[in-house]
Structures are given as structure tokens and as C-alpha cells.
Amino acid sequence: MLAQKPSRKERERQRHRQEILSAALRLFSEKGFHNVSMQEIAATAEFATGTLYNFFASKEELFFELLVAAAEESLGIVLPALEGDGDERRRLSRFIRLHARIAREQAIALRLYLLESRGRCLSGPRVEAKKKEIDEQVTKPLSNVIASGVRKGRFNDIDPVVAAKCLSAALQALTLAAVEDPQADDLDANLKKVEAVFFDGLVKSRGGKRDA
Amino acid sequence: MLAQKPSRKERERQRHRQEILSAALRLFSEKGFHNVSMQEIAATAEFATGTLYNFFASKEELFFELLVAAAEESLGIVLPALEGDGDERRRLSRFIRLHARIAREQAIALRLYLLESRGRCLSGPRVEAKKKEIDEQVTKPLSNVIASGVRKGRFNDIDPVVAAKCLSAALQALTLAAVEDPQADDLDANLKKVEAVFFDGLVKSRGGKRDA
DNA sequence: CATTGGCATGAACTATCGTTCACAATATGA
DNA sequence: TCATATTGTGAACGATAGTTCATGCCAATG
């Protein structure tokens, strides 16, 4: 009663479903929600227009499902780093560096999420709500780790929520840039530089290394 | 031959032009480029549909002009802070804190720019190019200031370009959040916390760092 | 073989959008 | 006042979109 139920017909159906999703993902992530038509998705997936509506109630629902899948996959890569072992600094470090893997493995899905990131009504209020929810799923654990570091005296006494938002925004910007133009920047190297910025800060705090 | 040329007719025309621009700005910044129609703009501005085309060649051109104006006004507030007097730290500090003024005075214009910030084909490639240009107009002077601080030994030896991108992304995220929901967060206070994060970094540099 | 049920089809429907244009209104100037 | 030019009008046009539905196809079932 568990897994072996889907008998042929059902498997075919799921395969078709996946083909539609995959065609839609490619098109949406390249041209944005509003610049892709259901006809175009159907043609790309090699189905008729009406067939899409046997699987998805509307264009928005199709997009919504892609968004959720993309978010879950990316969050699944990056969130565990915050909960593993090691002190707070190591955890943040892992979290930051994992963004290179996201850029490599989830490039198209990432663009689906980040490209139309901040629109208010681009694809309906339901999509907007989901995006906010995703954002909090990153920001909350992130600020928890930072808060923990502050509590233990390992971090400076900064606001964990603001710090988490800053770090998250910076990572999103750099990761998106790397996805859009993979040859331009070495994301791995840039992420190490991000670490340097956020861990040590800009202003020189300690030993006299001044020369001017 | 300088200023007193516009005689009545011309002044009226410019006034009508401004009314159209102002109605369009409000609508675009609330609903996004694709969710506003020319008939809606016309109705809001109390003109006929065709009248808009006496002033603007197309919907995209209308949006483009608003985008440029919004960018110039915001950049005009924030960029001078990077070139004034004071050392690098003071200049960055001014730059960061001025974002509160932008959020106050340019709220709607800011949303026009930030809401559809990262779309690829949302409103045409020309708009995209302009947005990239605006981004560089912030990032370049910003990284120059940081580089100067590094050169003089006042800042840690971090990559100025990456640091500038991080700071810019963080400021955009926080400012947009404050514009979208003015009551939720005190932007002034948050910006000071951003300063703390970027200037001093997360990890404690001074007293005994390791404990485990 | 005939029946049934579900999936695929794609033309058609409705709605909306950006844009145009023939025309009206109004101001200008002789 | 009349001729003229400029601006405003809004119905209409063509294109395109999301969605529907009557129909055809095929596999499974009796």
C-alpha cells in the first residue's frame, strides 16, 4: 500500500507532469512570469495548450509549484549548514560557502526565485506571500545562529536580525550575479571575501599596522 | 534666450506632462509595470488614452523616464555623501544614514526602482540596461571610498568591490523593507546597526577570541 | 468486440492591452 | 470673425493572452 501503487498510467501521467514543469521552469527563469505564455510552455513541452490544464489549474498555480520546489531544494542545501556542528563562526562560514553549490546546481531554479524577487503583484499575492515566507525561512535560523554567537560572547554585540538581513541580501546579490554571468566572477572566491567583510568588518580594530 | 521662453501654451503642456508622469509613478510603484495599463494611467491622470501618446512614444518610454528621474533624485541625495569631507569611515557613515532620508522623501520613487529590480525582461532590455547602469553608479564610488580606506591602512584588507556590493545590497533590502512597511521598523535605528555590522564585523577581534 | 473512462487536442472564446486615427475643441493671429 | 494649427478625445483595431470545450484517441475492462 506504500509505493508500488502507481501503475503505468499513473507513472506516465507524472512523467508528463514533470516534462511540463521542466519546460516551464526553463522558460520562466529565462524570461520572467509575464513574458511566457501558456501556449509557449505547451509548445516547448510538446503538448497541446489545453493539456496543461489537466495538470495545473492556472498559470499562476504552475508558477507557484515551481517556486516552492525551487525554494525547497535550495533551502535544503543551505539551511542544514546552520544546524550542524562547529561553533557559530564555522556554521556561518559553511552557510556562506554553500551558496556556490546552489549557484552551480540550482542555477535556473535560483533565477526563477530571484529574478522577480521583489515584485508586489507580478504573479499574484499568493506568490508574494510565499516569497516572504521563504525569506523568513532563511533569515530566522540565520539570526538565531548569530544571536547564539552574541550570547556566548564570541560575536560583537550587534543586532542579529539586522545582521542576518544584511548577510542574506548580500549573498543573494552575489549569487544571482554569478548565476547570470558565470564567467565574470569566481563565486567561490567572492564568498570568501564576503566572509572577510562580515566576520572582521571594515575598520581595522587591532594591532598598529598603519603606514601612512 | 534662457528661461522666459515657455509661453503659456508650453507651460500648460509641461504641466499636463507632469500630471501624467505623477499618475503613472503612483500606479507603477504600487502595482508594477505589467499590472498597469495605459488606459488606467490615462483615467487616473484624467486624460484620454490617446493623449498619453502626445507626450510619450510608448508605455516603456513613459516608464523609462520615471525610472531615470527616480534614480537621479535618489542618487543625488546619497552620492554626495561619499565625496564630502571626513575620513573614509565618516563618509560611509553619512552614506548609510542618508538612506533614511531617501526612504522618507523618495518612498514611491524608490519602490518604482526596487520593486522590479531584478527582472530580466520585465519592461524591455533598455530598462534593464539602465538599471545596471544605476547600480554601477552606486557601487563604483562606494568601492572607491572603501579602496581608499584600505590603501590608507584604515580599513582591513578586504576586496572593495565585494564589500561595496554587500553593503549596497544590504542597504537596498533594509530601505525597501522600511518603505513597504514604515511602521514595522525604525530605519534610522536599523541603519546604525548596519554600520555596526559592516564596520566592526561579527567576530570579536579584541579580548581572548578562542575559548573551546 | 463493444463499452467505458480518462487523457490529449487545438480551435475558439473572451478579455485586455498597447496603439492609432479621424474628429472635435480650443487657442492663435490676421 | 474666419482660417489655421495644436491639443485632446475615445472608439476602434490588431495582437496576444489565459482559459474552455467539443471531439478524437487509446487502453483497460466485461
Side-chain angles (χ1 to χ4, degrees), chain A residues 35 120-121 156 180 202, chain B residues 35 120-121 156 180 198 202:
Chain A
N35 296 8
R120 166 152 289 184
C121 317
N156 286 317
E180 299 248 42
L202 265 51
Chain B
N35 297 4
R120 168 152 287 183
C121 316
N156 287 316
E180 300 247 42
F198 276 87
L202 264 52

Side-chain angles (χ1 to χ4, degrees), chain A residues 22-42:
Chain A
S22 137
L25 173 61
R26 190 150 32 97
L27 291 171
F28 278 140
S29 75
E30 269 171 19
K31 328 209 306 184
F33 181 79
H34 280 286
N35 296 8
V36 173
S37 66
M38 291 299 264
Q39 281 86 334
E40 199 177 351
I41 297 173

Side-chain angles (χ1 to χ4, degrees), chain A residues 8-211:
Chain A
R8 190 56 167 282
K9 209 62 183 290
E10 184 58 21
R11 271 185 291 132
E12 279 267 301
R13 188 178 159 80
Q14 289 305 321
R15 201 172 49 80
H16 291 175
R17 207 183 133 89
Q18 273 308 318
E19 279 169 21
I20 294 170
L21 281 170
S22 137
L25 173 61
R26 190 150 32 97
L27 291 171
F28 278 140
S29 75
E30 269 171 19
K31 328 209 306 184
F33 181 79
H34 280 286
N35 296 8
V36 173
S37 66
M38 291 299 264
Q39 281 86 334
E40 199 177 351
I41 297 173
T44 304
E46 289 176 295
F47 283 106
T49 328
T51 306
L52 305 201
Y53 289 87
N54 286 332
F55 296 92
F56 308 96
S58 68
K59 186 188 179 187
E60 184 185 326
E61 191 123 335
L62 175 51
F63 183 81
F64 187 77
E65 183 154 334
L66 285 170
L67 180 75
V68 171
E72 279 179 0
E73 208 144 359
S74 290
L75 293 186
I77 293 181
V78 93
L79 282 187
L82 291 176
E83 294 166 1
D85 54 330
D87 63 9
E88 284 77 11
R89 180 180 171 141
R90 291 201 75 83
R91 277 186 261 170
L92 284 186
S93 178
R94 277 201 309 260
F95 172 78
I96 292 172
R97 298 191 188 201
L98 270 179
H99 280 73
R101 222 185 98 196
I102 293 188
R104 234 180 299 118
E105 299 177 9
Q106 303 288 326
I108 8 83
L110 239 200
R111 284 187 20 176
L112 179 83
Y113 171 59
L114 291 181
L115 270 184
E116 296 189 81
S117 195
R118 315 208 175 283
R120 166 152 289 184
C121 317
L122 294 187
S123 22
R126 183 149 151 260
V127 172
E128 278 317 299
K130 188 68 188 176
K131 283 182 176 173
K132 204 162 223 166
E133 185 192 320
I134 295 171
D135 229 55
E136 278 171 19
Q137 281 182 329
V138 180
T139 307
K140 216 186 62 183
L142 194 51
S143 71
N144 281 343
V145 171
I146 297 174
S148 164
V150 172
R151 219 179 306 117
K152 293 181 185 167
R154 282 198 264 256
F155 287 171
N156 286 317
D157 185 27
I158 42 84
D159 185 320
V161 174
V162 169
K165 284 181 181 173
C166 288
L167 181 53
S168 176
L171 289 174
Q172 280 186 20
L174 284 180
T175 309
L176 178 61
V179 165
E180 299 248 42
D181 190 350
Q183 289 111 354
D185 299 310
D186 181 3
L187 183 56
D188 277 295
N190 278 350
L191 290 175
K192 285 183 187 172
K193 294 169 184 171
V194 171
E195 275 189 71
V197 169
F198 276 87
F199 285 159
D200 300 329
L202 265 51
V203 302
K204 214 165 237 168
S205 58
R206 216 358 198 357
K209 214 201 288 183
R210 72 215 59 187
D211 56 351

